[in-house]
Amino acid sequence: MTHILTSPDGTPASRFAFGTMQFGGRADAAQSAEIFAACRTAGITHFDTAWVYTKGHSEEILGRLIKGERDQLIIASKVGYTGGAGAQNMQAQFDTSRARLQLDCIDILYLHRFDAQTDLRETLGWFAARKEAGDIRYIGLSNFAAWQVMKAQMLGAELGFSTDILQPMYSLVKRQAEVEILPMCTDQNIAIAPYSPLGGGLLTGKYTTGGTGRLSEDARYNSRYGQAWMHETASELSALADNLGVSPATLAVAWVAAHPAAPMPIISGRSAEQIAPSLAALDFQMDAALYDQIEALSPRPAPATDRLEEQELGA
């Protein structure tokens, strides 16, 4: 597994990352500063943003917040969500991101999503050149299917590098990554920083009590997490959390982090109060019995070969 380290002291990245998607959006500058302070107090050193987040405000706010302790932090950003993965577009977005973050080097740079219209050799060649120049330290891929990652691995071998870190979606209600992505990362020594461990907020339990948020306000999130069984899983997780005297958000994040592939979940939120249960998962002790109990609350994905009888036998 690639070990993501700070520079220049080589301190390992924190077990969780914090995603700043709401900086400059649902979280204004003052709230963002409070969130950042809470994360640092909890020991978070890994912060994730993207060129596309909140029209650039996320990167700008994060850039101001990291001043004075840059060398103790891992800063990640993403390019190519819009405009494609051609070298010219990625370079323009990358330069803008560096200016916003006030950084010459961004520790982790992800391709935000696969671009079928651009030759992957061009994309990877640009990433390889940026790494060789010292503009980035780790090469990441986000929202890639397993076959797309392995294609990048094959082409990367020709260019003398491999993917360092992958950013897939993963939560108790979005478990597709278990089928091929997580085992592939283990096999290929790729670090994993999964996003949305709370299922867009569904697994916080607030929707079971009539609360509102992205799932009720954003049609995309409502579509992504709108299936009845997902809401049933959220209700059952909340009941289990009540019995244990903890927040369901704490259980949801701790469960993702406890996967044998050792992922580093990206937590997020719009206030220091809102992220507290997720930060509490850093210290939550998840034993094997509880892990299995939580796992049973949602359907287990079928194996890629669809040989269910082998999965049931533990093959």
Side-chain angles (χ1 to χ4, degrees):
M1 187 73 68
T2 298
H3 296 290
I4 306 299
L5 308 174
T6 62
S7 177
D9 61 3
T11 301
S14 50
R15 289 179 51 239
F16 296 177
F18 184 82
T20 66
M21 187 177 184
Q22 302 199 55
F23 281 12
R26 290 172 178 264
D28 61 24
Q31 291 170 316
S32 299
E34 292 175 355
I35 292 169
F36 181 81
C39 287
R40 294 296 292 124
T41 297
I44 300 293
T45 61
H46 182 175
F47 293 87
D48 180 271
T49 185
W51 178 86
V52 76
Y53 289 169
T54 58
K55 300 180 179 179
H57 298 306
S58 172
E59 290 181 321
E60 291 170 349
I61 291 172
L62 182 60
R64 293 194 294 268
L65 292 173
I66 64 177
K67 284 184 175 181
E69 52 179 338
R70 168 68 185 97
D71 290 346
Q72 288 75 53
L73 303 176
I74 296 287
I75 305 301
S77 194
K78 296 179 281 292
V79 296
Y81 190 83
T82 61
Q88 183 175 0
N89 181 61
M90 292 191 299
Q91 185 67 52
Q93 294 185 2
F94 179 60
D95 287 340
T96 301
S97 291
R98 288 197 294 179
R100 291 169 178 168
L101 288 163
Q102 302 177 55
L103 297 175
D104 293 325
C105 174
I106 296 177
D107 296 300
I108 303 170
L109 188 71
Y110 293 93
L111 176 57
H112 208 149
R113 61 179 173 180
F114 184 76
D115 176 14
Q117 305 307 312
T118 301
D119 188 338
L120 192 55
R121 287 180 177 83
E122 176 184 351
T123 302
L124 296 177
W126 180 85
F127 271 88
R130 298 286 63 72
K131 188 170 185 178
E132 184 176 1
D135 297 337
I136 63 177
R137 297 176 54 234
Y138 300 101
I139 295 172
L141 302 174
S142 180
N143 297 304
F144 268 48
W147 71 265
Q148 294 165 343
V149 175
M150 291 309 300
K151 183 175 182 179
Q153 290 291 81
M154 178 188 69
L155 296 175
E158 298 177 6
L159 298 168
F161 76 91
S162 61
T163 302
D164 296 305
I165 186 167
L166 189 69
Q167 191 174 116
M169 184 189 301
Y170 184 48
S171 72
L172 186 61
V173 291
K174 284 289 184 179
R175 295 176 57 181
Q176 293 91 327
E178 294 177 11
V179 178
E180 289 191 335
I181 289 176
L182 300 185
M184 173 200 66
C185 287
T186 299
D187 178 75
Q188 295 292 307
N189 298 315
I190 300 173
I192 311 160
Y195 66 91
S196 292
L198 296 180
L202 176 62
L203 298 175
T204 64
K206 65 180 179 181
Y207 296 99
T208 64
T209 57
T212 60
R214 284 186 295 179
L215 269 67
S216 58
E217 300 165 2
D218 189 317
R220 296 177 305 165
Y221 280 88
N222 182 267
S223 177
R224 185 183 297 176
Y225 299 107
Q227 296 182 49
W229 73 262
M230 295 179 175
H231 287 260
E232 182 178 345
T233 292
S235 296
E236 293 174 348
L237 182 68
S238 291
L240 176 59
D242 285 343
N243 290 336
L244 296 174
V246 299
S247 167
T250 300
L251 290 185
V253 175
W255 182 82
V256 167
H259 188 278
M264 301 175 287
I266 302 173
I267 62 172
S268 191
R270 62 176 181 267
S271 69
E273 180 182 12
Q274 189 182 61
I275 69 169
S278 293
L279 290 175
L282 282 164
D283 299 316
F284 185 82
Q285 299 301 311
M286 172 87 55
D287 61 27
L290 181 57
Y291 181 89
D292 291 344
Q293 187 177 3
I294 294 172
E295 181 183 45
L297 299 180
S298 65
R300 187 179 187 185
T305 58
D306 205 26
R307 293 170 66 92
L308 293 174
E309 74 282 3
E310 292 180 355
Q311 185 180 54
E312 292 169 359
L313 294 171

